[in-house]
Amino acid sequence: MSELNSDHINAMQAINLIEKSLLALDETAIATNMADINEFVQLFQSEIENIDDALDRAEHLLNLIFVEQLFVDHSRPHWPINTHQLNEGMAFRSMAPALKNLLLLHIIRCCGFQIDAVYVPNDVMLRIVCDEDYAIIFNCLDGTPINWYELDQRLNNDENPNEHVTLEAISDKNLIVQYLISLKNSLIREQKFSEALQCVELILALNPNDPYHRRDRGFLLQQLDCFKVAFDDYQYFVERCPKDPQAKILQMQLDMFSSVDTVIH
């Protein structure tokens, strides 16, 4: 999908396109998704429009989202496929973080705020810039803001205390890749290998020749008995990441592939 490589990508349109391609979402469902999102935006806009102070307005908006609308979740070791779908995620107030980040970015931007995603060691968080003095950095799962002491502790590099990590904004395109990776992992866990392969192809369209995604494509091709193409992807990974612990294991598989007849698809 060439739309995903656009410099002016609309995150919600991109998610709907991905769901249409991978999860057989029809046009009616897409229209319903966007109508539901727009309804949330209009509700939130009306609730905060008379609040003059930017910080108070941002705090009230977060309260509306996480308390009044119950968009609160807890951390899980795995996120199933349905938590990667907008319609189910909004209906049951449970979304994989990679999808929820994109939805909240869209909604909060529509409410007039400058907001971006930032990497705070161990987590991707969202940052609302209220004005020159105030910003709120919070976890998308429950809306809990990080305090400045904890933020400073996380950003300081323990190995080299003279270095300090800055909060660089993560592009929407990279957030969509994170969503695709999360979706791919859930598809693999539920053994939907064909859909997971399509997911990896989309990831590679955004990050061509990434050796780790090529490795994952090789694994999926192997599950689908496409050994010849899997061989090429494994070989690519081994050549470019020879020190990776998986490289030796994959080299053994490559040696095995070479000794048997291959099935070409």
Side-chain angles (χ1 to χ4, degrees):
M1 290 187 287
S2 60
E3 295 92 341
L4 296 183
N5 264 315
S6 170
D7 291 334
H8 304 288
I9 192 168
N10 180 304
M12 289 301 96
Q13 289 180 358
I15 296 301
N16 279 312
L17 285 170
I18 291 167
E19 287 195 40
K20 181 179 180 181
S21 175
L22 301 182
L23 305 174
L25 193 72
D26 60 32
E27 294 294 338
T28 301
I30 290 176
T32 300
N33 282 348
M34 295 310 299
D36 288 345
I37 293 169
N38 290 335
E39 186 176 338
F40 276 125
V41 169
Q42 291 167 10
L43 170 65
F44 298 148
Q45 287 174 337
S46 67
E47 290 284 340
I48 66 172
E49 63 181 353
N50 294 322
I51 302 175
D52 295 327
D53 183 79
L55 180 59
D56 289 343
R57 193 162 62 250
E59 289 178 339
H60 187 58
L61 177 57
L62 292 179
N63 185 70
L64 288 169
I65 294 170
F66 290 101
V67 179
E68 292 196 16
Q69 291 297 323
L70 300 177
F71 263 99
V72 177
D73 214 325
H74 58 275
S75 181
R76 309 185 195 182
H78 304 299
W79 294 87
I81 293 172
N82 64 347
T83 64
H84 292 81
Q85 297 175 261
L86 281 170
N87 57 346
E88 294 220 15
M90 288 188 292
F92 295 101
R93 301 298 195 264
S94 183
M95 287 188 182
L99 175 59
K100 196 171 184 181
N101 279 330
L102 288 163
L103 176 64
L104 292 179
L105 283 171
H106 176 82
I107 288 174
I108 295 172
R109 283 171 181 163
C110 288
C111 289
F113 288 96
Q114 177 186 339
I115 180 172
D116 49 30
V118 293
Y119 178 69
V120 178
N122 302 321
D123 287 297
V124 173
M125 292 189 168
L126 299 180
R127 174 179 60 188
I128 299 178
V129 179
C130 300
D131 52 37
E132 293 181 357
D133 297 317
Y134 295 105
I136 302 173
I137 299 174
F138 64 95
N139 186 304
C140 78
L141 284 177
D142 57 13
T144 302
I146 187 170
N147 63 59
W148 294 109
Y149 176 76
E150 182 184 351
L151 178 64
D152 190 62
Q153 291 293 106
R154 287 213 210 177
L155 293 180
N156 277 315
N157 187 335
D158 292 334
E159 295 179 0
N160 187 347
N162 293 322
E163 291 187 6
H164 196 82
V165 180
T166 58
L167 288 173
E168 296 292 334
I170 303 170
S171 71
D172 287 2
K173 186 174 177 179
N174 284 337
L175 291 172
I176 289 170
V177 170
Q178 290 180 12
Y179 164 73
L180 285 167
I181 291 170
S182 181
L183 175 59
K184 175 207 67 180
N185 291 338
S186 70
L187 289 166
I188 290 174
R189 279 193 300 272
E190 299 184 32
Q191 298 189 356
K192 295 183 179 294
F193 297 128
S194 180
E195 293 87 346
L197 177 59
Q198 294 178 62
C199 206
V200 173
E201 294 287 9
L202 289 177
I203 295 169
L204 285 168
L206 296 170
N207 287 292
N209 299 320
D210 182 294
Y212 290 93
H213 298 315
R214 287 283 294 268
R215 176 202 61 194
D216 289 351
R217 185 173 68 178
F219 165 77
L220 292 165
L221 288 164
Q222 184 181 358
Q223 303 309 305
L224 296 168
D225 295 333
C226 301
F227 296 112
K228 175 60 174 69
V229 190
F231 181 102
D232 294 339
D233 280 338
Y234 283 160
Q235 187 70 51
Y236 186 93
F237 175 77
V238 169
E239 289 174 354
R240 281 155 184 78
C241 304
K243 295 183 180 180
D244 188 283
Q246 287 196 345
K248 290 183 179 180
I249 298 172
L250 291 177
Q251 186 61 59
M252 293 173 62
Q253 287 190 265
L254 291 173
D255 295 339
M256 180 186 70
F257 286 166
S258 299
S259 65
V260 299
D261 291 335
T262 58
V263 178
I264 301 177
H265 290 237

